[in-house]
Amino acid sequence: DDADAAFTAALRAKQDDRETFAAFVGQAHTAGTAVDWTAFYAGTGARVVDLPTYAFQRERFWLTPGAGAGDVTAAGLVGIEHPLLAAAVQVGDRDEWVFTGRVSTETQPWVAEHLLLGTMVVPGVALVELAIAAGRQVGVPVVDELVLESPLLVQEGVTRQLQVAVGAAGPDGRRDVTVYSRPEGGDGEAEATCHARGVLGADAAPVADWPEQWPPQDAEPLPVEDLYTRLADI
């Protein structure tokens, strides 16, 4: 039956003979021809390994398509290099900036590993990093103060848009910073959630010297062995 026939080349002009023949053997195998793989790989040290029978079972082995930001300058933005933030834009003629990005379990798989009471939560330190990254772009790389107002919750298959707003510099050079997010998609009218507010500064306060005596005199030791157990019970 011609419908079961397959045509494949064992040699091609201007192409490596070994690679072309290896491709020929592979195509013949997928077409249903029995191939003696032991003979084919003889002397190479190749060995048989187990592969998952289902692409998403327990551990992912398959490549994920790229989810790059593309050319953000086409949208009037300035591209930045950061794992969460992709672009920035200055607000009109004011000395104010908005930094944007996205977070999801697909583009940042590590988010799924941080669970609180069974809910995926972006670690608070990531919000601090967002503030630092935005401040670094405008010359205030120090977080003087940051108050976490609401946890940044993540759901499987849902992408959240990130915004970090940096205000104008005050008389002392410090700037207000705010971190927001909203779910991506829909009609674009989803209400934004404020996750953190704070102040960015240019210089860090000097770190105080450690006391020469450690532990300090009259210090009272506190047991910490059962801390996480007590927190889990609470």
Side-chain angles (χ1 to χ4, degrees), residues 32-111:
T33 302
V35 177
D36 186 351
W37 292 111
T38 302
F40 182 82
Y41 286 107
T44 65
R47 59 188 179 86
V48 177
V49 297
D50 293 330
L51 289 178
T53 56
Y54 176 56
F56 308 101
Q57 185 174 1
R58 298 183 181 85
E59 186 174 357
R60 188 176 180 87
F61 289 85
W62 310 107
L63 297 178
T64 301
D71 184 11
V72 297
T73 58
L77 306 174
V78 178
I80 60 175
E81 295 291 334
H82 189 268
L84 292 176
L85 300 177
V89 62
Q90 186 174 0
V91 181
D93 61 351
R94 302 198 299 271
D95 185 21
E96 300 175 10
W97 291 81
V98 176
F99 298 82
T100 61
R102 306 163 75 206
V103 61
S104 72
T105 55
E106 294 182 359
T107 54
Q108 291 86 23
W110 51 267
V111 174

Side-chain angles (χ1 to χ4, degrees), residues 17 23 42 148 189:
D17 292 348
L148 304 184
E189 297 181 356

Side-chain angles (χ1 to χ4, degrees), residues 133-194:
R136 187 181 299 118
Q137 297 292 323
V138 294
V140 281
V142 177
V143 176
D144 286 345
E145 176 183 322
L146 193 68
V147 178
L148 304 184
E149 294 191 359
S150 176
L152 177 48
L153 307 181
V154 179
Q155 295 176 305
E156 191 74 36
V158 177
T159 298
R160 294 194 69 87
Q161 298 174 341
L162 298 173
Q163 283 191 355
V164 181
V166 179
D172 57 357
R174 303 200 306 168
R175 297 172 182 260
D176 292 335
V177 62
T178 314
V179 180
Y180 299 94
S181 81
R182 59 160 47 92
E184 187 174 81
D187 55 10
E189 297 181 356
E191 184 177 353
T193 301
C194 178

Side-chain angles (χ1 to χ4, degrees), residues 35 55 80 113 141 148-149 152 173 193 199 209 217 219-220 225 227:
V35 177
I80 60 175
E113 300 175 2
L148 304 184
E149 294 191 359
L152 177 48
T193 301
V199 179
D209 295 333
Q217 186 177 0
E220 180 182 353
E225 293 81 1
L227 174 61

